[in-house]
Amino acid sequence: MWDDAFPSFLIGLREGLEAGLIVSILVATLVRAEARSRLPQVWTGVLAAIAVAMSFGAVLTFTAASMPQTAQEAFGGVLSVIAVAFVTAMVFWMRRSARNLSSELKQKVSGALAMGSGMLILTSFLAVGREGLETALFLWTTAQAAGESAGPLTGAAIGLLLAAGLCWGLYRRVLKINLTKFFTATGVVLIVIAAGVLGYGLRDLQEGGVLPGKTAYAVDLAGSIDAGSWYSTLIQGVFNLMPTMTWLQVVAYVAYLAVVMTLFVRGVRLTAPKAKPETATQRSAGASGEGSAARKPAAARRRPVWVVPAAVVAVPAVVAGLFVALGRPKPAGDQTVAVSETDCGKGFTAPEPGRQTFQMHNTGRQASEVYLVDPSTNAVYGEIEGLAPGTTRDLVATIAGGTYAWRCVPASGKAVTSKAVTVTGGGAAKPVAPVSEQDLAAPLKSYKSYVGKGLDTLAGQTRALQHDIEGGHLDRARTDWLTAHRTYASLGAAYGTFEDFDKKIDGRADGLPGGERDKDFSGFLRLEYGLWHGRSAKELTGPARQLSTDVAGLGKAFPSQDFDAGDLPLRAHEILENTLQFELTGDTDEGSGTNLATADANLAGTRELLTVLKPLLTDRAPKVLPTVDTDIDRVQKLLDAQHDGGHWTPVEKLSDADRRRLDGATGQLLEDLAPIPDLLEIRKSA
């Protein structure tokens, strides 16, 4: 459970610190100013924010309709910028308080607390609200990925409790310091925090597509800083400084810090007005004021103080309940939509705009692919693969203004398209542009040419390796082995096409009765084992000759081998998926310690594959490739740091921090590559 709990623990600690630092300073300010009567306004804002966050979590949990990722980012960004505005206003109020109240705090506390109830409530609400919503979203997605909620919730609870303890320590400390120093010091801290929140908010707006420059990085320390370490988490949580920041973030951070800090410090340096002697009338008025202040709590207690706290909890809960009750995707009509070899879309009527669920029932005798399409362009809005006869499955799609039809493609036979219906209103939906074998023909031709040239190069390299071993030059053979093996690894997108040759050339000893000593163990890994385990040249001559023969045979067979065009998009993800599973775990190391060199070659092969797919991806998802390119560069830097000339750091000798960075960067790259197979999937049309 700890694997699922730890990420949530970090986010709980981080978000708790972000919210708690501002609230604890605000509470300490009021207590120090003997304005405890204003504390309920702070706690009202905090309670409202918690209620909103919990209600939002309930909406995410109990309804299938959720906010799109870009909308989440944009919403968080807007809330962050608003929060910065209120925190900045609070900071300058604190500065004025430090200048005017140090000598006569009790008499003029009402004039000093000029923020008003609304400002206090909004400041505390926004400080907690943004982090609460972010935490709710994170926990929900983490629980979904983990398949259970106990681990993520436990981790988040521990993180939040630790953050609360740290903030309580800050609160207890500031109650004992000089008021003027307190206002000045906390003002400086809050300005730094607000600068980070501003940068973080602008990044959210970039991720949400509201602002440009998402991939224009000014700082990229991901290769040298472990983002998951405790110190990195603490810095990110308190100051919102990330290992990777865009130019917009950096410029906004520096500009805000320079302007606001300058104005703040300049105001602090102004000469504080001298306190005037207090007259008897003023003392009387002060006493009277103190008496009134003392009487106010008694008067307040006669009012139903539970009304406001109850309302701020009840209103979000009621709204969340309405979303849960009314916001679920509804089936498009009372009838299911029939699918068969002869009749597709029976029962289909024009649906309402919005997110809809269609119940697809196969009434035929064959399994069928089912697509919701725009019949004029063949763009796909939703699909079900392999709908078996007699079964019913839900298809969820977002409906907007446009023309829709069902296309049913049975396992054998011709495609059947239903009568089209027209939907008016409802904005715009984003379909996937269809990809045909013809669309992939040019990329496939380019990639096959790349593989053919690579096999020619490989043939020469394996012959050189064979000659090294036959001549007894084993040191040279080890160098040439790595060169040849990297060339073969860079052709990874074609491994499914090489048929039995791949097992002969790069097969593993796993499953063989004799393991590494088995007579059927051959190829690169067989030679690796022998070269790095003290085998003689005589023992390795046979495997070296066999490798050269197999590579030459593959070179002759490849032009006539069946290379499915649909495999290209799949390999964009699978090459590095195998890298993470085998190379970065050291699982395929037979003694050379060069798994990272193989991973580097796999990365080069992925770059080549993405190059030939670029025209198709640019047309369909222009934001995918820039993000992936940034991820690849980050992994490349991490790999480059692990070799010096021809020597590579063995996987087992990587430091824990380096291993986490490399695994994390590769995992992020895989996540960003994941949409490519779906974007470029060949949809059946006949």
Side-chain angles (χ1 to χ4, degrees):
M1 186 178 72
W2 179 243
D3 290 342
D4 297 325
F6 187 66
S8 299
F9 163 76
L10 292 180
I11 202 70
L13 175 61
R14 170 183 163 167
E15 307 301 339
L17 280 172
E18 286 191 47
L21 283 173
I22 296 174
V23 172
S24 61
I25 290 174
L26 187 56
V27 170
T29 300
L30 295 174
V31 172
R32 193 77 171 92
E34 297 187 9
R36 292 178 179 270
S37 62
R38 306 288 294 277
L39 288 177
Q41 296 161 10
V42 175
W43 298 125
T44 297
V46 171
L47 192 60
I50 294 173
V52 169
M54 295 182 69
S55 299
F56 184 54
V59 170
L60 290 175
T61 302
F62 293 109
T63 180
S66 59
M67 188 183 296
Q69 180 66 30
T70 54
Q72 295 173 15
E73 302 290 356
F75 179 74
V78 170
L79 202 57
S80 296
V81 174
I82 294 173
V84 169
F86 280 100
V87 169
T88 304
M90 186 181 72
V91 163
F92 281 93
W93 164 79
M94 291 167 63
R95 188 202 67 190
R96 290 194 302 271
S97 298
R99 189 177 69 234
N100 297 328
L101 300 185
S102 57
S103 62
E104 45 189 17
L105 177 62
K106 293 182 181 180
Q107 290 82 359
K108 296 187 178 180
V109 67
S110 59
L113 298 175
M115 283 198 302
S117 301
M119 181 73 79
L120 284 171
I121 293 174
L122 276 172
T123 299
S124 57
F125 173 81
L126 288 169
V128 178
R130 184 180 75 87
E131 316 311 331
L133 290 173
E134 197 169 281
T135 303
L137 287 169
F138 180 88
L139 289 178
W140 184 78
T141 54
T142 302
Q144 291 290 104
E148 55 97 9
S149 59
L153 288 176
T154 301
I158 295 173
L160 289 170
L161 287 174
L162 180 57
L166 292 173
C167 293
W168 172 256
L170 171 67
Y171 165 76
R172 296 298 299 172
R173 173 62 182 164
V174 298
L175 289 181
K176 299 178 181 179
I177 66 176
N178 177 273
L179 182 63
T180 301
K181 292 181 179 179
F182 163 68
F183 279 139
T184 304
T186 54
V188 170
V189 171
L190 282 174
I191 289 172
V192 175
I193 292 174
V197 172
L198 177 61
Y200 187 81
L202 293 176
R203 178 60 177 170
D204 279 348
L205 291 173
Q206 289 179 310
E207 294 285 353
V210 177
L211 295 176
K214 176 182 175 181
T215 59
Y217 294 110
V219 178
D220 188 358
L221 302 178
S224 55
I225 294 178
D226 180 12
S229 63
W230 66 268
Y231 58 84
S232 180
T233 299
L234 194 62
I235 292 173
Q236 292 178 53
V238 176
F239 301 110
N240 271 294
L241 292 175
M242 307 298 172
T244 304
M245 296 180 71
T246 65
W247 278 106
L248 179 61
Q249 285 180 278
V250 172
V251 170
Y253 184 92
V254 173
Y256 176 89
L257 205 59
V259 173
V260 177
M261 189 69 78
T262 300
L263 293 174
F264 180 80
V265 173
R266 183 180 297 172
V268 170
R269 289 177 176 175
L270 293 176
T271 304
K274 296 181 179 180
K276 296 180 180 180
E278 190 175 29
T279 65
T281 303
Q282 289 173 326
R283 284 194 297 271
S284 176
S288 176
E290 289 180 9
S292 291
R295 286 193 297 271
K296 283 181 182 178
R301 282 194 293 271
R302 288 196 293 269
R303 285 184 258 163
V305 294
W306 53 268
V307 171
V308 174
V312 299
V313 173
V315 170
V318 170
V319 173
L322 291 174
F323 268 102
V324 171
L326 304 175
R328 295 177 182 271
K330 300 177 182 178
D334 296 330
Q335 297 181 350
T336 58
V337 179
V339 175
S340 74
E341 303 91 310
T342 57
D343 191 6
C344 181
K346 184 178 180 179
F348 179 49
T349 58
E352 294 293 325
R355 193 172 172 87
Q356 301 291 347
T357 300
F358 302 93
Q359 297 176 331
M360 311 306 298
H361 179 62
N362 191 341
T363 60
R365 297 182 179 180
Q366 298 184 40
S368 182
E369 310 289 316
V370 184
Y371 305 107
L372 179 62
V373 301
D374 180 340
S376 62
T377 63
N378 291 323
V380 178
Y381 291 90
E383 64 183 301
I384 293 178
E385 296 182 355
L387 182 62
T391 61
T392 301
R393 285 163 60 186
D394 287 348
L395 185 151
V396 180
T398 299
I399 303 298
T403 305
Y404 297 85
W406 291 103
R407 179 163 296 150
C408 307
V409 186
S412 62
K414 295 184 177 181
V416 181
T417 303
S418 73
K419 182 180 179 180
V421 300
T422 301
V423 176
T424 57
K430 199 170 184 180
V432 175
V435 175
S436 65
E437 288 194 28
Q438 185 176 359
D439 293 327
L440 284 168
L444 179 60
K445 182 179 179 180
S446 297
Y447 193 76
K448 289 183 73 172
S449 175
Y450 162 77
V451 173
K453 292 177 181 177
L455 289 175
D456 289 341
T457 301
L458 181 64
Q461 292 171 342
T462 52
R463 285 195 298 270
L465 174 60
Q466 176 188 340
H467 294 154
D468 292 339
I469 292 175
E470 289 175 340
H473 307 298
L474 297 187
D475 286 339
R476 189 191 305 165
R478 295 184 184 94
T479 300
D480 288 345
W481 175 90
L482 180 58
T483 301
H485 191 239
R486 281 168 55 82
T487 298
Y488 185 77
S490 69
L491 309 178
Y495 67 81
T497 305
F498 292 162
E499 299 172 352
D500 293 338
F501 283 102
D502 183 59
K503 185 176 180 180
K504 295 176 182 178
I505 293 172
D506 206 33
R508 302 171 62 191
D510 294 10
L512 296 176
E516 283 83 358
R517 299 177 181 274
D518 196 282
K519 61 182 180 62
D520 292 327
F521 183 34
S522 63
F524 279 112
L525 299 189
R526 168 69 179 87
L527 287 175
E528 178 187 7
Y529 180 81
L531 287 169
W532 275 271
H533 283 83
R535 298 297 183 264
S536 66
K538 182 178 180 180
E539 292 178 278
L540 297 177
T541 296
R545 290 174 178 171
Q546 185 62 49
L547 175 61
S548 293
T549 300
D550 290 335
V551 168
L554 175 58
K556 293 178 181 178
F558 177 70
S560 60
Q561 287 179 331
D562 183 22
F563 199 144
D564 188 347
D567 285 346
L568 280 180
L570 291 173
R571 300 296 183 255
H573 184 270
E574 289 179 351
I575 295 173
L576 292 178
E577 190 174 46
N578 288 340
T579 301
L580 187 62
Q581 182 179 358
F582 299 117
E583 271 69 47
L584 297 187
T585 60
D587 193 48
T588 54
D589 184 13
E590 292 289 353
S592 68
T594 59
N595 269 29
L596 294 185
T598 306
D600 181 71
N602 290 339
L603 191 66
T606 301
R607 282 185 190 271
E608 181 64 31
L609 180 58
L610 292 173
T611 298
V612 302
L613 294 175
K614 183 176 181 178
L616 294 176
L617 287 171
T618 301
D619 290 342
R620 287 161 177 80
K623 296 182 180 180
V624 168
L625 278 181
T627 301
V628 167
D629 287 343
T630 300
D631 293 340
I632 289 178
D633 290 342
R634 186 174 296 127
V635 176
Q636 188 67 67
K637 289 179 182 178
L638 293 172
L639 289 172
D640 289 344
Q642 299 304 326
H643 76 95
D644 180 14
H647 178 265
W648 289 79
T649 304
V651 170
E652 67 273 12
K653 292 187 178 180
L654 287 172
S655 67
D656 290 341
D658 287 339
R659 184 189 288 266
R660 285 197 303 270
R661 292 190 196 103
L662 189 54
D663 288 347
T666 307
Q668 182 62 53
L669 173 55
L670 279 171
E671 183 177 332
D672 291 332
L673 285 170
I676 291 178
D678 286 335
L679 287 169
L680 301 184
E681 179 184 356
I682 298 175
R683 266 85 181 181
K684 298 178 182 178
S685 59

